[in-house]
C-alpha cells in the first residue's frame, strides 16, 4: 500500500422496493472510481448504505403491517443482493439503524446543543413528507413542494433548530476559495445564487410528530430530523466520537461525496455547516450528477421500459449494464434511459467493437499459429501509430477520471479499440497468411493486437470488473505486474512467447426486435404483479382495520386528562360547497366565536351544501390541520353514524352562541 488514501461515498438509499436502474447510477459511478483508485495503489474506503428513519418509511411500514426495522431489513437484504449482482465493491455498508450510528448522531446532537449551535423553539411551516423537507411559505411553488411538486402538510410543533444562518458567510467563503468543492460548476452557481446569497434560515432539526428516528438523548419525544441523522453517516461509519476511530483519523475528510443533483443542497450547505460547527474539515468535493430520466420525466417502474436493475443485469450481465450507465450520459448531466439505447450500445460498443476485436485476435492466433505465437517478428508501417495511441490512452483516461468524467474516459478507451480494429484492416493479416515468407510480420501483427488487448483489459477494469478476466484468460496472462495500472504506460509487457486459448463469446449480439417483445412481456407481467400486490395490500389493510374495530372492547380506558386534551366548540356554518372531484366531501366555512375556520368533512352523501348553511355544529378545534384532496381542513365536525350507514350531525339540545365550549 502506498499510504495514499481515498474515501468515496454514495448517498445512503431510502429502503424502497421501488428501486430502479436510476438508483444504481450513483453507486456504479462510486464503485468505478473506487476500483480505479485501488488499481492506482490507493488505500480506498468506499461507503454506501441505507437511510432508514423518517415519517415516510414509518408510514410505508405501517401500510405493510410491519415494524419499520423489519420492513427496512427486508429491503436492505434486497439491496445488498443487488449490489452483489452489480459487483459493487463497497468496503462498508452503513444502516442508520446501526447502534453505533445512532449513538454517534446522539452525541453530535448533544454536542451541538451544549455549545449553543442547536436551540429549542417552535416550528411553524410546511413539510413535505416524501422529501422529508421543511419549507417556508415563500419556498413553496403554487402551494406545493418545490422539489417533488406534491402536497405539503402544515406543521406546528416544538422543535430544535440548528443555527445554519451563523455559517452562511463562512460557507460562501469556502466555496469561493475552493472552486473544486462543488462540481460541476453549474451546481456551485446554483447553490451560491439560489440559496446562500439570498440568506439562510436556521434549520429545524427535530420532530415530535412521529417516533421512527434517532431519539434526542436529552429530550424525550423528540427525534432527530432525518437529514442530520442521514448526513452524519459519512463520519459515524468511520467511528467518529467512538473509541474505535482509527478509520476516521485515516480517511476523513472524504475525497468525494457523489450525490444526485436534487440533494446537492443538503451536502453543500447543511452538511458543511454541521462539520464547521463540529470543527471538522470539509469533504474535498461534492459532485452532483444528473438524473436518468424516461421521456424527459422521472424514472419509474411503470413507464413502459424495464428499469428493474436486477432484471437488466440478469438479461445482459453486470458489465454491460455498468458500461451503459457510465458511457451513455456525461456525468453531471441528465440523460434519457431506454431499453433500446441499452441494447444498441451492447450491440455496437461491446459485441461489435470490443467483442469482435477479442474474438478475431484469438481466432487468428489459433488459426495462423495454432495458438502459439513465434518470437521472431518483423514490423509493419502501422505499428508505431498503434503503439503510441495505446500508451497515450491511459493518460487521457487518468485525466478524465480525476474529473469524474467517466464517459470521456470510456470514449478514449473505445477510440483505442476502434484504432486497433482499424489496424487489422490496415495490415490485412488474411493476406499476410497466404505467404509463409510473411510469417514474421504476421506474428508481429498478432502480437500488437494481443498487447493492445492487454492494455485495454486494464483500462476497462474499473468500469467492467468481469470482462478483463475473460480477456486475460484467453491471452493466458495473470501475472500481477503485467496487469497493473502502471503497466499500461509501457508498450511490450506481454510475454514474447504468447499462447492463447479461445473462450466464450463475451457479448453475444442481441436481436433488437425479439428482445423488445421479451421486454414487453416482462413489463406486462410486472404490471400484473404490481396490481396483485396492491390488491393484497388493500385487503391486508382492511383486515387490520376490521381487527382494530373488533378489539375495540379491549381498548384501555382513557383518563379525564386525555379527554380534556380534545378541544370541542360550537361552530356555525356560514358557507358550504362541494369539494371538486370528491363526491363525499363538503368544504364548510365555520364561524367559531370570532374566528372562521375551513373544515372538510365526509358528509356530502347526507347533507347538501344549502342544508348545512346556518347549522350549529360541534367542532374539534385542536386537530392538526390536514389537506384532504388538496383542500386544507382545520378541524373536524362531529357526527353520529350507525351500521345502516345513516349519519347525522351532532348538535346541542338548545341553541347556544358559536364559540361556546363543549365539555
Ligand atoms: N436518503 C437520501 C440520501 C441521504 S445521503 C446522506 C436519498 N436517497 S434516495 O434513495 O432517494 O436516492 C439515492 C441516490 O439515487 C441519490 O443520489 C439520487 O439522486 C439517486 N437517484 C435516484 N433516482 C435517480 C435517477 N433516476 N437517476 C440518477 N440518479 C438517481 O436521496
Amino acid at each position: 500500500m502506498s499510504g495514499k488514501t481515498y474515501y468515496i461515498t454514495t448517498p445512503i438509499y431510502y429502503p424502497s422496493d421501488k428501486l430502479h436502474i436510476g438508483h444504481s447510477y450513483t453507486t456504479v459511478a462510486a464503485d468505478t472510481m473506487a476500483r480505479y483508485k485501488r488499481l492506482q495503489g490507493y488505500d480506498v474506503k468506499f461507503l454506501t448504505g441505507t437511510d432508514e428513519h423518517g415519517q415516510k418509511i414509518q408510514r410505508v411500514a405501517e401500510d405493510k403491517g410491519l415494524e419499520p426495522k423489519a420492513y427496512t431489513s427486508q429491503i436492505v437484504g434486497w439491496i445488498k443482493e443487488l449490489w452483489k449482482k452489480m459487483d459493487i465493491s463497497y468496503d462498508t455498508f452503513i444502516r442508520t439503524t446501526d447502534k453505533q450510528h445512532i449513538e454517534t448522531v446522539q452525541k453530535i446532537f448533544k454536542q451541538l446543543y451544549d455549545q449553543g449551535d442547536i436551540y429549542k423553539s417552535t416550528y411553524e411551516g410546511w413539510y413535505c413528507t416524501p422529501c422529508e423537507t421543511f419549507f417556508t411559505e415563500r419556498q413553496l411553488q403554487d402551494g406545493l413542494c418545490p422539489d417533488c411538486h406534491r402536497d405539503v402538510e402544515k406543521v406546528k410543533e416544538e422543535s430544535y433548530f440548528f443555527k445554519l444562518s451563523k455559517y452562511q458567510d463562512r460557507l460562501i467563503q469556502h466555496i469561493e476559495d475552493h472552486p473544486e468543492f462543488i462540481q460541476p460548476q453549474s451546481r456551485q452557481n446554483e447553490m451560491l445564487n439560489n440559496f446562500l446569497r439570498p440568506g439562510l434560515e436556521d434549520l429545524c432539526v427535530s420532530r415530535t410528530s412521529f417516533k421512527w428516528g434517532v431519539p434526542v438523548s436529552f429530550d424525550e419525544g423528540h427525534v432527530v430530523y432525518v437529514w442530520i441523522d442521514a448526513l452524519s453517516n459519512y463520519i459515524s461509519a468511520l467511528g467518529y466520537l467512538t473509541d474505535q476511530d482509527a478509520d476516521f483519523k485515516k480517511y476523513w475528510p472524504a475525497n468525494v461525496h457523489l450525490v444526485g443533483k436534487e440533494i446537492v443542497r443538503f451536502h453543500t450547505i447543511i452538511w458543511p455547516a454541521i462539520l464547521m460547527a463540529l470543527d471538522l474539515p470539509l469533504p474535498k468535493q461534492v459532485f452532483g450528477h444528473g438524473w436518468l430520466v424516461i421521456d424527459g420525466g422521472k424514472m419509474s417502474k411503470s413507464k413502459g421500459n424495464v428499469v428493474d436493475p436486477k432484471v437488466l443485469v440478469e438479461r445482459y450481465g453486470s458489465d454491460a449494464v455498468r458500461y451503459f450507465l457510465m458511457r451513455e450520459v456525461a456525468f453531471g448531466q441528465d440523460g434519457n434511459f431506454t431499453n433500446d439505447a441499452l441494447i444498441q450500445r451492447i450491440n455496437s460498443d461491446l459485441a461489435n467493437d470490443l467483442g469482435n476485436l477479442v474474438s478475431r485476435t484469438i481466432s487468428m492466433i489459433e488459426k495462423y499459429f495454432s495458438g502459439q505465437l513465434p518470437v521472431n517478428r518483423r514490423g509493419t508501417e502501422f505499428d508505431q501509430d498503434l503503439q503510441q495511441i495505446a500508451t497515450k490512452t491511459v493518460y487521457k483516461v487518468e485525466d478524465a477520471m480525476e474529473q469524474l468524467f467517466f464517459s470521456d474516459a470510456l470514449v478514449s478507451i473505445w477510440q483505442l479499440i476502434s484504432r486497433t480494429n482499424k489496424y487489422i484492416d490496415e495490415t490485412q493479416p488474411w493476406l499476410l497468411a497466404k505467404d509463409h515468407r510473411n510469417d514474421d510480420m504476421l506474428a508481429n501483427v498478432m502480437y500488437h493486437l494481443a498487447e493492445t488487448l492487454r492494455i485495454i483489459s486494464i483500462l476497462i477494469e474499473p468500469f467492467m470488473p468481469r470482462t478483463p478476466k475473460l480477456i486475460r484468460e484467453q491471452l493466458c496472462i495473470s501475472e500481477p505486474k503485467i496487469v497493473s495500472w502502471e503497466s499500461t504506460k509501457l508498450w511490450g509487457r506481454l510475454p514474447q512467447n504468447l499462447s492463447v486459448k479461445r473462450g466464450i463469446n463475451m457479448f453475444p449480439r442481441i436481436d433488437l426486435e425479439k428482445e423488445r417483445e421479451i421486454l414487453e412481456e416482462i413489463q406486462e407481467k410486472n404490471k400484473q404483479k404490481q396490481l396483485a400486490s396492491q390488491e393484497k395490500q388493500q385487503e391486508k389493510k382492511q383486515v387490520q382495520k376490521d381487527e382494530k374495530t373488533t378489539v375495540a372492547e379491549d381498548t384501555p380506558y382513557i383518563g379525564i386528562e386525555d379527554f380534556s386534551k380534545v378541544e370541542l366548540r360550537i361552530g356555525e356554518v356560514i358557507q358550504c360547497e362541494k369539494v371538486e372531484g370528491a363526491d363525499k366531501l363538503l368544504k364548510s366555512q365555520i364561524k367559531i366565536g370570532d374566528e372562521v375556520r375551513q373544515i372538510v368533512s365526509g358528509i356530502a352523501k347526507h347533507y347538501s351544501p344549502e342544508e348545512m348553511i346556518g347549522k350549529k355544529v360541534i367542532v374539534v378545534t385542536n386537530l392538526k390541520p390536514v389537506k384532504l384532496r388538496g383542500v386544507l381542513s382545520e378541524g373536524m365536525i362531529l357526527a353520529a353514524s350507525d351500521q345502516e350507514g345513516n349519519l347525522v350531525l351532532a348538535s346541542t339540545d338548545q341553541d347556544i352562541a358559536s364559540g361556546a365550549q363543549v365539555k
Side-chain angles (χ1 to χ4, degrees):
M1 226 29 96
S2 62
K4 301 179 288 187
T5 60
Y6 188 79
Y7 181 31
I8 184 165
T9 67
T10 72
I12 43 173
Y13 286 77
Y14 293 128
S16 152
D17 48 12
K18 294 196 175 62
L19 285 192
H20 50 63
I21 190 72
H23 288 106
S24 315
Y25 190 58
T26 330
T27 314
V28 168
D31 185 68
T32 303
M33 207 54 200
R35 286 177 184 272
Y36 167 69
K37 288 289 173 182
R38 284 189 202 113
L39 262 178
Q40 288 201 317
Y42 280 78
D43 173 350
V44 172
K45 177 71 133 185
F46 168 19
L47 174 73
T48 190
T50 40
D51 185 359
E52 302 183 24
H53 290 127
Q55 195 166 12
K56 185 168 58 175
I57 287 163
Q58 181 176 318
R59 283 186 187 166
V60 177
E62 269 164 17
D63 280 352
K64 292 190 186 285
L66 291 170
E67 285 298 316
K69 178 88 185 258
Y71 164 68
T72 56
S73 295
Q74 267 180 12
I75 310 268
V76 167
W78 189 92
I79 292 178
K80 283 188 172 172
E81 220 181 278
L82 172 66
W83 293 157
K84 201 165 161 203
K85 270 188 191 290
M86 297 194 83
D87 299 307
I88 303 299
S89 60
Y90 59 80
D91 298 292
T92 306
F93 190 103
I94 186 165
R95 298 181 59 178
T96 52
T97 48
D98 289 341
K99 187 165 170 277
Q100 176 177 306
H101 172 78
I102 292 174
E103 286 170 3
T104 306
V105 171
Q106 288 179 323
K107 285 181 202 162
I108 291 174
F109 201 93
K110 174 89 168 53
Q111 184 178 322
L112 296 179
Y113 177 73
D114 289 345
Q115 71 192 40
D117 273 302
I118 283 180
Y119 61 92
K120 199 173 189 174
S121 181
T122 304
Y123 179 79
E124 207 171 342
W126 299 92
Y127 188 71
C128 174
T129 306
C131 297
E132 310 271 17
T133 309
F134 295 101
F135 294 103
T136 57
E137 186 82 39
R138 183 161 62 90
Q139 289 171 317
L140 299 183
Q141 276 174 9
D142 302 326
L144 300 173
C145 168
D147 289 341
C148 72
H149 307 292
R150 278 181 275 207
D151 280 344
V152 284
E153 288 175 45
K154 187 155 202 182
V155 290
K156 181 178 177 185
E157 55 186 60
E158 182 193 77
S159 292
Y160 285 93
F161 284 79
F162 173 62
K163 283 188 183 163
L164 189 60
S165 55
K166 174 175 154 190
Y167 294 95
Q168 174 178 325
D169 294 341
R170 271 179 72 188
L171 283 168
I172 294 176
Q173 193 64 50
H174 183 84
I175 294 168
E176 284 175 347
D177 291 348
H178 300 86
E180 72 295 347
F181 177 57
I182 307 177
Q183 282 298 318
Q185 171 81 28
S186 55
R187 309 221 189 277
Q188 181 182 316
N189 300 340
E190 189 189 335
M191 291 305 120
L192 284 170
N193 299 335
N194 298 0
F195 298 103
L196 280 157
R197 292 199 177 113
L200 294 176
E201 287 170 30
D202 288 353
L203 178 77
C204 175
V205 289
S206 77
R207 303 288 316 266
T208 51
S209 55
F210 66 94
K211 291 263 161 293
W212 181 235
V214 174
V216 172
S217 58
F218 51 90
D219 196 345
E220 211 184 305
H222 282 261
V223 294
V224 176
Y225 165 58
V226 285
W227 276 97
I228 302 289
D229 168 10
L231 290 161
S232 304
N233 93 87
Y234 300 129
I235 51 177
S236 74
L238 300 178
Y240 175 62
L241 294 184
T242 72
D243 49 14
Q244 289 183 332
D245 62 354
D247 273 358
F248 179 73
K249 289 185 177 131
K250 185 171 175 189
Y251 294 109
W252 191 257
N255 293 75
V256 61
H257 292 315
L258 290 191
V259 300
K261 61 179 183 180
E262 81 288 10
I263 53 175
V264 168
R265 183 160 65 93
F266 300 98
H267 284 81
T268 58
I269 297 178
I270 300 178
W271 179 227
I274 296 171
L275 290 167
M276 283 174 178
L278 293 172
D279 205 15
L280 292 177
L282 306 194
K284 292 178 190 150
Q285 186 169 82
V286 175
F287 194 105
H289 66 71
W291 277 358
L292 289 186
V293 294
I294 291 186
D295 302 329
K298 269 206 160 175
M299 182 169 276
S300 93
K301 283 192 169 175
S302 55
K303 270 204 173 162
N305 271 282
V306 174
V307 293
D308 183 336
K310 267 195 188 162
V311 175
L312 297 176
V313 168
E314 272 156 19
R315 291 202 68 71
Y316 312 118
S318 136
D319 274 12
V321 174
R322 290 173 59 117
Y323 170 77
F324 174 80
L325 290 176
M326 293 297 94
R327 171 65 184 85
E328 185 70 2
V329 186
F331 203 60
Q333 288 165 23
D334 288 350
N336 214 37
F337 175 87
T338 62
N339 292 137
D340 274 15
L342 169 61
I343 296 162
Q344 275 155 5
R345 279 247 172 249
I346 294 175
N347 281 345
S348 70
D349 300 8
L350 301 182
N352 265 6
D353 298 345
L354 178 59
N356 267 348
L357 178 61
V358 175
S359 65
R360 281 165 96 191
T361 304
I362 303 298
S363 52
M364 285 193 288
I365 299 176
E366 284 195 328
K367 186 170 163 195
Y368 303 139
F369 297 103
S370 310
Q372 294 266 299
L373 264 194
V375 179
N376 289 343
R377 309 265 156 82
R378 184 151 48 95
T380 78
E381 57 185 298
F382 307 105
D383 299 351
Q384 196 141 34
D385 191 46
L386 180 66
Q387 287 177 20
Q388 270 177 6
I389 292 183
T391 47
K392 268 189 194 153
T393 302
V394 63
Y395 296 102
K396 286 197 199 163
V397 171
E398 284 182 349
D399 196 36
M401 292 301 275
E402 285 314 312
Q403 301 174 74
L404 298 157
F405 292 164
F406 301 105
S407 186
D408 287 359
L410 285 171
V411 167
S412 296
I413 302 172
W414 255 254
Q415 278 166 352
L416 173 60
I417 293 173
S418 297
R419 179 65 193 87
T420 318
N421 274 318
K422 190 174 153 210
Y423 176 81
I424 301 181
D425 299 337
E426 289 166 341
T427 53
Q428 304 189 343
W430 51 92
L431 292 184
L432 295 176
K434 285 194 173 152
D435 185 343
H436 278 303
R437 281 172 299 177
N438 291 330
D439 276 0
D440 289 353
M441 204 181 258
L442 184 59
N444 168 75
V445 169
M446 293 302 118
Y447 184 84
H448 272 69
L449 295 178
E451 170 63 352
T452 318
L453 278 181
R454 178 189 71 85
I455 294 176
I456 292 167
S457 82
I458 299 164
L459 298 179
I460 60 171
E461 202 175 323
F463 299 89
M464 306 166 79
R466 292 176 190 227
T467 308
K469 191 165 168 269
L470 298 177
I471 298 177
R472 289 173 201 157
E473 272 169 10
Q474 303 192 56
L475 293 173
C476 303
I477 53 168
S478 58
E479 215 189 312
K481 70 173 192 284
I482 59 170
V483 295
S484 72
W485 188 261
E486 282 309 302
S487 76
T488 55
K489 294 175 178 168
L490 269 183
W491 179 265
R493 306 295 290 271
L494 200 61
Q496 296 294 317
N497 52 343
L498 182 73
S499 52
V500 302
K501 186 175 76 201
R502 190 198 295 257
I504 50 157
N505 181 359
M506 297 183 304
F507 301 106
R509 269 192 79 79
I510 300 168
D511 181 329
L512 184 58
E513 288 302 319
K514 272 197 200 149
E515 190 62 19
R516 275 190 191 137
E517 281 172 27
I518 296 174
L519 291 174
E520 259 168 40
E521 259 174 48
I522 294 179
Q523 186 72 353
E524 189 48 38
K525 267 194 203 147
N526 279 349
K527 249 193 220 155
Q528 302 300 344
K529 241 179 145 171
Q530 234 171 324
L531 277 177
S533 103
Q534 272 167 5
E535 272 169 24
K536 221 166 138 191
Q537 220 167 300
Q538 293 265 335
E539 273 169 28
K540 207 167 164 185
K541 265 194 200 164
Q542 191 55 45
V543 170
Q544 279 170 355
K545 229 176 169 181
D546 295 348
E547 274 170 2
K548 261 192 198 153
T549 329
T550 43
V551 296
E553 281 167 21
D554 301 333
T555 311
Y557 290 113
I558 59 163
I560 187 72
E561 67 287 355
D562 285 326
F563 179 68
S564 62
K565 283 184 193 156
V566 184
E567 199 181 283
L568 298 170
R569 299 175 72 180
I570 299 296
E572 181 178 353
V573 181
I574 53 174
Q575 250 182 51
C576 182
E577 60 188 91
K578 288 198 160 174
V579 171
E580 235 176 80
D583 54 1
K584 287 192 188 148
L585 299 183
L586 289 185
K587 177 173 85 176
S588 314
Q589 306 300 326
I590 300 181
K591 185 172 173 298
I592 304 162
D594 295 334
E595 183 193 2
V596 176
R597 293 246 189 138
Q598 173 170 294
I599 295 181
V600 178
S601 356
I603 54 174
K605 293 253 152 97
H606 308 274
Y607 290 91
S608 67
E610 299 72 39
E611 256 178 290
M612 288 295 290
I613 296 176
K615 275 201 192 308
K616 292 258 177 84
V617 287
I618 301 177
V619 178
V620 184
T621 50
N622 62 343
L623 261 191
K624 195 170 138 192
V626 287
K627 276 196 168 178
L628 297 170
R629 294 292 179 105
V631 181
L632 183 66
S633 181
E634 303 167 286
M636 186 170 92
I637 299 176
L638 291 192
S641 62
D642 65 17
Q643 297 211 325
E644 273 77 57
N646 299 311
L647 180 143
V648 290
L649 293 172
S651 60
T652 49
D653 172 36
Q654 288 180 31
D655 192 27
I656 189 163
S658 83
Q661 271 203 334
V662 180
K663 298 194 243 185

